[in-house]
Amino acid sequence: MFGFQRRELGISRLLLWLLLLEFWEVGSGQLHYSVLEEAKHGTFVGRIAQDLGLELEELVPRLFRVASKTHGDLLEVNLQNGILFVNSRIDREELCGQSAKCSIHLEVIVDRPLQVFHVDVEVKDINDNPPVFSLREQRLRIAESKQSDSRFPLEGASDADIEENALLTYRLSQNEYFSLDSTNSKQIKRLSLILKKSLDREKTPELNLLLTATDGGKPELTGIVQLLVQVLDVNDNDPEFDQSEYKVSLMENAAKETLVIKLNATDRDEGVNGEVTYSLMSIKPNGRPLFTLDQNNGEVRVNGTLDYEENKFYKIEVQATDKGTPPMAGHCTVWVEILDTNDNFPEVTVTSLSFPIREDTQPSTVIALISVSDLDSGVNGQVTCSLTPQVPFKLVSTFKNYYSLVLDSALDRETVSAYELVVTARDGGSPSLWATASVSVEVADVNDNAPAFAQREYTVFVKENNPPGYHIFTVSAQDADAQENALVSYSLVERRVGDRALSSYVSVHAESGKVYALQPLDHEELELLQFQVSARDAGVPPLGSNVTLQVFVLDENDNAPALLATRAGSAGGTVSELLPRSVGAGHVVAKVRAVDADSGYNAWLSYELQPAAGGSRTLFRVGLYTGEISTTRVLDESDSPRHRLLVLVRDHGEPALTATATVLVSLVESGQAPKASSRALVGPASPEAALVDVNVYLIIAICVVSSLLVLTLLLYTALRCSAMPIEGACAPGKPTLVCSSAVGSWSHSQQRRHRVCSGEGPPKTDLMAFSPSLPPGLNKEEEGERQESGSSHPGQPRQPNPDWRYSASLRAGMHSSVHLEEAGILRAGPGGPDQQWPTVSSATPEPEAGEVSPPVGAGVNSNSWTFKYGPGNPKQSGPEPKKQTQVSFLLRRKGEASQPRQ
């Protein structure tokens, strides 16, 4: 095994030696070329293929290629013509630096058979680098005491090129102080400046020179460096004052540290040689230390008390010395003249103060006594006093140099609570001297302001059935007074609410003003609670004011529908009716009547027939909003003789509350039917049943009178409309007030002379339209028309939009427990009296769809509906289709069946 491996190793080594020998024989030749650095791309270097003896057509098949270990991309061979050319930028300084010789070694390789050639391309230098100084400027510091011919070495420039291109010569800019000397020592050139003339820093503190280096290339390149020569100072100048003598005038009794004069001595030297310090030589005549001299800035100041009567002149001798070596000095004299002056200030004394003063103090009251004095004599001692302007006080002179501070006008603490008075005393000297004294006058409060509310009246909305102690509102009154005069307490202004005291309903916290409901409020019992809250301060005597609170109790659906009593009914809401078999479709069997004590949607009632045995639901139906039970078809012999009908009465509250009435209908032959109609209101027995008989006669009388009134109005309207153009619409009539209950629920209506049609045939004579409108003065109108078909094709009202609302004040004014017989407006017609109820329109999310609003405040026999069309409804009428129109219609007389529209 080992022998076999050794034989293979020997054979491999033999082949390797043979291959190296072949390479040596083939590649023993070498070519030399030269190229200038920075040559452009494509510059010709040599015909390498021709020089190597290779045919051009062999270059590609034999895979002719050029390789270099480090710079293979600088040179390239064109395989079409065999020319070696410059491929990219060649920088000799980058390749070889300062080396004198620089070349690129290439290996040319061809295959089939394999051959290797060596090529050296010499890169020749061109003058492409200017001389460069290491610094942009050179600074030299030379003392002005240096002698002529002194030498100062300089740093030379360097050039990246070689040979002649790097041979540098220097020259210096023209000047009168320096020359340039350059010597060669061992191939190193040394530069130095030679001082030709002595320097004077005070004359020439600095010199700016230019040193230029030029190489030997063609064209030659240059480099420049700036030489900044700073001349150093020598202490060769004395300090000098602006003047040799100074004269100064100074007032007597000048305060200590008062500036007398500021001396200034200058030295033309610089640095410490030009820094000057000052000192006093002597002070005459007495030599006392009455003055001081600052040694750094030369300020002469007063150090003692000067008196004109003692000395009128002072002589001060001052010396200025620099800090050079040796130091040099200069001198001057200062003459100080003392002037007489008014040097005593007036004095002000305030006595007999009576502070603070009440704001109700009467004018002319003396507040304080003031005295003034001045130690000077003559005019300098004559003093006059004055007071701060625009204050309700004045000064009254009582004797020489004595004054009284008097109240001049009324005070108001709420406007100004304190005064800072300044009394000024001024003498008659020249210049005049004055002194001031401050007097603080505090104004004491008097209870002259009552507590005040931000508003005279507040409106509060509270839902009924609130918990006891519920916080309703917070009243707050502000008192402009101070301390106890501004301490406000609250209380109720007691009154009777019905037969009960106000304090049984609400209470108010005496300190915070929070109003609480002491018991649950009931909208059906009390819709509006109006009372007053009193705010009273703690002053003596106390002052107070009242504010009115209007608390509207908002309705909640807390009352279920109540069935009205019936004459023929029995307890439990059950009634029996006899129905002849000969009646046709649409015959009214009975009418369920119910009321709801709530308001608005909570009192809007609807009726529906519950499923019962025997197919009664297919034989009978109930009006959704009238409660009328009628037949749906003609009776036949196969119908059961007895039917038990369950009518569910539901309000529209959240959640809805219901009541159930039972109607027992017995089918009899025509001869067995009672002569008088037995239809009656269904409901549990109540105390109201005894009054029904009396109400029937009252209703009949009202119907007769109303019929005459309606007939008159119809004739008047027909005459007016016949006198107008056929194509013109009737103009709106005078607005009338339509009342719906005894407590004054109302809606404003405006009669319109529109012909209300059902789409085909003549107008119906038993239909009257009322268009609700806003009260006069409100610029708003709604127009439109819509009809509801009879009971055979009932117009089902849209479910009320959840966003339907109406104002709490209107809700508080509407009474929902009034049924038809207690109603507002009755209309005469063939079928008996009908009632018009006020309506509230509900919002609809579809602007083009119609909407129906129920009567407000009642759920029984509500024959008035409001239909509202959007601007895109084709049923809209009127000249302005963009406006919404709202029209209220009275339905047909009771019991009359209408044909469905085709």
Side-chain angles (χ1 to χ4, degrees):
M1 182 70 181
F2 290 110
F4 179 75
Q5 290 181 350
R6 287 178 180 177
R7 284 196 300 271
E8 286 187 347
L9 183 60
I11 294 172
S12 298
R13 288 180 177 178
L14 179 61
L15 293 175
L16 180 61
W17 280 109
L18 292 175
L19 181 62
L20 291 177
L21 181 61
E22 179 68 17
F23 284 168
W24 176 258
E25 293 176 354
V26 174
S28 58
Q30 185 174 3
L31 297 179
H32 294 273
Y33 297 106
S34 64
V35 64
L36 294 178
E37 65 170 331
E38 304 295 341
K40 295 182 179 181
H41 173 75
T43 301
F44 174 83
V45 177
R47 300 183 181 274
I48 188 171
Q50 181 179 352
D51 295 340
L52 292 176
L54 300 175
E55 297 295 334
L56 295 179
E57 57 272 11
E58 296 179 354
L59 298 182
V60 174
R62 295 188 64 183
L63 300 179
F64 182 92
R65 58 189 181 275
V66 176
S68 176
K69 294 182 180 180
T70 56
H71 307 292
D73 59 338
L74 298 180
L75 299 173
E76 189 59 68
V77 175
N78 189 335
L79 299 180
Q80 302 298 326
N81 53 23
I83 295 177
L84 180 67
F85 62 91
V86 176
N87 185 46
S88 61
R89 176 178 175 269
I90 301 175
D91 187 358
R92 193 203 65 82
E93 288 74 29
E94 181 180 347
L95 289 175
C96 305
Q98 293 292 329
S99 176
K101 292 184 179 182
C102 182
S103 62
I104 301 174
H105 180 74
L106 301 177
E107 290 182 353
V108 179
I109 303 173
V110 292
D111 294 336
R112 301 172 187 176
L114 178 62
Q115 289 180 299
V116 178
F117 303 95
H118 296 277
V119 178
D120 284 332
V121 179
E122 181 183 2
V123 180
K124 294 185 176 181
D125 182 48
I126 64 172
N127 190 25
D128 58 343
N129 292 280
V132 177
F133 290 92
S134 61
L135 299 175
R136 302 181 66 178
E137 62 179 20
Q138 297 184 26
R139 294 179 175 272
L140 291 86
R141 297 168 60 87
I142 303 175
E144 62 177 335
S145 59
K146 283 289 184 178
Q147 300 296 323
S148 300
D149 297 330
S150 298
R151 290 177 175 270
F152 307 97
L154 297 176
E155 182 179 354
S158 61
D159 197 314
D161 296 324
I162 59 175
E163 298 178 351
E164 294 294 332
N165 294 332
L167 186 60
L168 302 180
T169 57
Y170 298 90
R171 66 177 182 273
L172 187 65
S173 60
Q174 187 67 30
N175 66 94
E176 59 177 317
Y177 292 99
F178 295 96
S179 61
L180 184 64
D181 180 28
S182 59
T183 58
N184 291 330
S185 175
K186 297 181 181 180
Q187 297 181 353
I188 297 177
K189 181 169 290 189
R190 295 181 179 180
L191 294 177
S192 58
L193 288 179
I194 300 176
L195 183 63
K196 300 188 299 182
K197 179 181 177 181
S198 299
L199 298 173
D200 185 358
R201 192 205 64 81
E202 288 74 29
K203 181 179 179 183
T204 308
E206 189 176 70
L207 289 173
N208 291 325
L209 305 177
L210 288 180
L211 178 62
T212 304
T214 305
D215 60 20
K218 292 183 180 181
E220 61 184 17
L221 301 178
T222 61
I224 298 175
V225 66
Q226 187 174 15
L227 303 179
L228 298 179
V229 180
Q230 182 180 2
V231 181
L232 302 180
D233 183 57
V234 175
N235 190 23
D236 55 352
N237 291 280
D238 298 330
E240 295 180 358
F241 287 96
D242 299 336
Q243 300 176 213
S244 59
E245 290 187 356
Y246 298 89
K247 293 183 179 181
V248 182
S249 296
L250 189 64
M251 294 292 181
E252 66 170 331
N253 297 330
K256 190 175 181 180
E257 299 298 327
T258 299
L259 179 64
V260 178
I261 190 175
K262 182 176 182 179
L263 300 175
N264 182 37
T266 58
D267 194 317
R268 292 187 298 168
D269 295 325
E270 68 172 1
V272 295
N273 297 329
E275 295 180 6
V276 179
T277 58
Y278 303 89
S279 60
L280 290 175
M281 299 296 293
S282 65
I283 300 176
K284 297 179 180 180
N286 49 19
R288 291 186 300 173
L290 297 178
F291 302 94
T292 59
L293 176 63
D294 191 303
Q295 64 176 359
N296 295 320
N297 56 26
E299 291 181 351
V300 179
R301 296 183 178 273
V302 176
N303 190 39
T305 302
L306 302 179
D307 191 354
Y308 172 81
E309 289 71 25
E310 181 178 351
N311 287 303
K312 299 181 181 180
F313 290 97
Y314 290 90
K315 179 182 179 183
I316 304 175
E317 294 182 357
V318 180
Q319 174 179 289
T321 307
D322 62 23
K323 296 181 180 180
T325 302
M328 305 187 75
H331 303 82
C332 73
T333 302
V334 179
W335 294 94
V336 181
E337 180 184 5
I338 307 301
L339 303 177
D340 190 18
T341 184
N342 181 25
D343 54 353
N344 291 288
F345 291 88
E347 295 181 359
V348 182
T349 304
V350 181
T351 58
S352 302
L353 302 178
S354 56
F355 302 138
I357 60 174
R358 292 168 55 92
E359 61 178 323
D360 59 352
T361 302
Q362 296 298 320
S364 302
T365 302
V366 177
I367 306 303
L369 298 178
I370 299 175
S371 62
V372 296
S373 62
D374 194 316
L375 298 179
D376 293 328
S377 59
V379 177
N380 293 336
Q382 296 178 0
V383 181
T384 56
C385 287
S386 61
L387 190 63
T388 305
Q390 298 180 354
V391 293
F393 301 94
K394 63 180 179 179
L395 289 176
V396 178
S397 178
T398 58
F399 191 67
K400 182 181 180 180
N401 293 340
Y402 286 92
Y403 298 86
S404 295
L405 182 61
V406 179
L407 180 62
D408 190 37
S409 60
L411 300 175
D412 185 6
R413 191 206 64 83
E414 287 71 35
T415 303
V416 181
S417 60
Y419 294 90
E420 289 293 333
L421 306 181
V422 178
V423 180
T424 302
R426 187 181 299 272
D427 62 20
S430 181
S432 177
L433 299 180
W434 67 90
T436 59
S438 298
V439 181
S440 298
V441 180
E442 182 180 357
V443 182
D445 183 52
V446 176
N447 191 25
D448 55 351
N449 291 278
F453 292 93
Q455 297 178 212
R456 298 179 59 185
E457 184 178 278
Y458 293 94
T459 300
V460 184
F461 300 96
V462 180
K463 288 186 177 181
E464 64 175 334
N465 304 323
N466 58 280
Y470 179 73
H471 176 221
I472 296 176
F473 191 67
T474 301
V475 295
S476 178
Q478 303 296 327
D479 196 314
D481 293 323
Q483 298 179 357
E484 67 274 0
N485 295 332
L487 186 61
V488 180
S489 61
Y490 304 92
S491 62
L492 287 176
V493 178
E494 190 61 65
R495 72 175 185 88
R496 303 292 297 178
V497 180
D499 57 348
R500 299 172 60 182
L502 175 64
S503 57
S504 64
Y505 287 96
V506 293
S507 68
V508 60
H509 193 275
E511 296 180 359
S512 65
K514 292 184 176 181
V515 180
Y516 299 94
L518 299 180
Q519 62 181 6
L521 300 178
D522 188 358
H523 172 79
E524 290 71 33
E525 175 188 349
L526 185 65
E527 297 180 358
L528 172 62
L529 179 60
Q530 185 171 344
F531 58 92
Q532 288 187 328
V533 177
S534 175
R536 189 172 296 273
D537 60 25
V540 179
L543 301 177
S545 62
N546 297 340
V547 66
T548 300
L549 264 69
Q550 288 187 341
V551 180
F552 287 93
V553 182
L554 305 182
D555 182 55
E556 288 188 342
N557 192 27
D558 56 348
N559 291 280
L563 300 173
L564 295 182
T566 174
R567 293 190 296 273
S570 60
T574 304
V575 66
S576 298
E577 292 288 346
L578 298 178
L579 180 62
R581 288 183 178 272
S582 60
V583 299
H587 179 78
V588 177
V589 179
K591 185 169 185 176
V592 179
R593 299 175 182 246
V595 295
D596 195 313
D598 294 319
S599 300
Y601 267 105
N602 296 331
W604 181 24
L605 302 181
S606 61
Y607 304 83
E608 59 182 273
L609 199 60
Q610 296 296 306
S616 300
R617 192 174 185 185
T618 61
L619 182 57
F620 300 96
R621 67 182 176 190
V622 64
L624 181 60
Y625 298 108
T626 63
E628 292 182 348
I629 302 175
S630 60
T631 60
T632 60
R633 58 179 173 84
V634 178
L635 303 178
D636 53 28
E637 295 298 332
S638 63
D639 292 326
S640 176
R642 293 183 179 277
H643 296 270
R644 189 172 186 270
L645 305 180
L646 297 179
V647 179
L648 181 66
V649 185
R650 185 192 308 271
D651 60 24
H652 286 72
E654 291 291 342
L657 301 179
T658 61
T660 305
T662 304
V663 180
L664 300 176
V665 181
S666 300
L667 303 183
V668 297
E669 299 301 329
S670 300
Q672 299 177 359
K675 295 182 180 179
S677 177
S678 62
R679 288 178 294 147
L681 296 175
V682 179
S686 67
E688 295 181 357
L691 299 177
V692 174
D693 293 336
V694 179
N695 290 339
V696 170
Y697 297 104
L698 180 60
I699 291 173
I700 294 173
I702 294 175
C703 287
V704 173
V705 176
S706 300
S707 300
L708 294 176
L709 176 60
V710 172
L711 182 58
T712 303
L713 292 176
L714 290 176
L715 291 175
Y716 176 75
T717 303
L719 293 175
R720 290 292 301 272
C721 290
S722 62
M724 297 181 65
I726 296 176
E727 67 277 10
C730 297
K734 181 179 180 181
T736 60
L737 188 65
V738 180
C739 295
S740 63
S741 68
V743 296
S745 299
W746 58 270
S747 68
H748 232 79
S749 301
Q750 178 175 335
Q751 297 180 2
R752 294 182 180 271
R753 294 191 295 274
H754 288 294
R755 295 182 179 181
V756 183
C757 301
S758 61
E760 75 284 339
K764 299 185 182 300
T765 59
D766 59 349
L767 196 60
M768 189 172 185
F770 291 87
S771 295
S773 63
L774 296 176
L778 296 180
N779 185 15
K780 184 176 182 182
E781 180 182 357
E782 296 182 4
E783 299 179 358
E785 299 176 358
R786 183 173 176 182
Q787 300 181 16
E788 180 183 7
S789 301
S791 59
S792 63
H793 187 67
Q796 177 66 27
R798 294 171 58 88
Q799 184 66 20
N801 193 296
D803 294 334
W804 177 80
R805 299 290 185 270
Y806 56 90
S807 67
S809 61
L810 179 60
R811 295 180 61 181
M814 295 188 295
H815 190 27
S816 63
S817 62
V818 180
H819 54 272
L820 175 64
E821 284 74 16
E822 301 172 339
I825 291 180
L826 298 176
R827 173 176 62 82
D834 283 347
Q835 181 180 5
Q836 169 70 38
W837 287 83
T839 63
V840 176
S841 175
S842 64
T844 175
E846 301 88 10
E848 70 281 0
E851 62 184 26
V852 183
S853 297
V856 176
V860 181
N861 196 20
S862 301
N863 300 97
S864 175
W865 296 92
T866 297
F867 297 86
K868 184 176 181 181
Y869 292 95
N873 197 294
K875 297 181 181 181
Q876 179 182 2
S877 63
E880 297 179 8
K882 292 185 178 181
K883 297 184 178 178
Q884 292 184 347
T885 304
Q886 179 173 309
V887 180
S888 296
F889 294 93
L890 292 178
L891 298 180
R892 294 180 177 274
R893 56 181 176 271
K894 296 184 294 182
E896 179 181 347
S898 62
Q899 297 300 325
R901 297 175 60 181
Q902 299 298 328

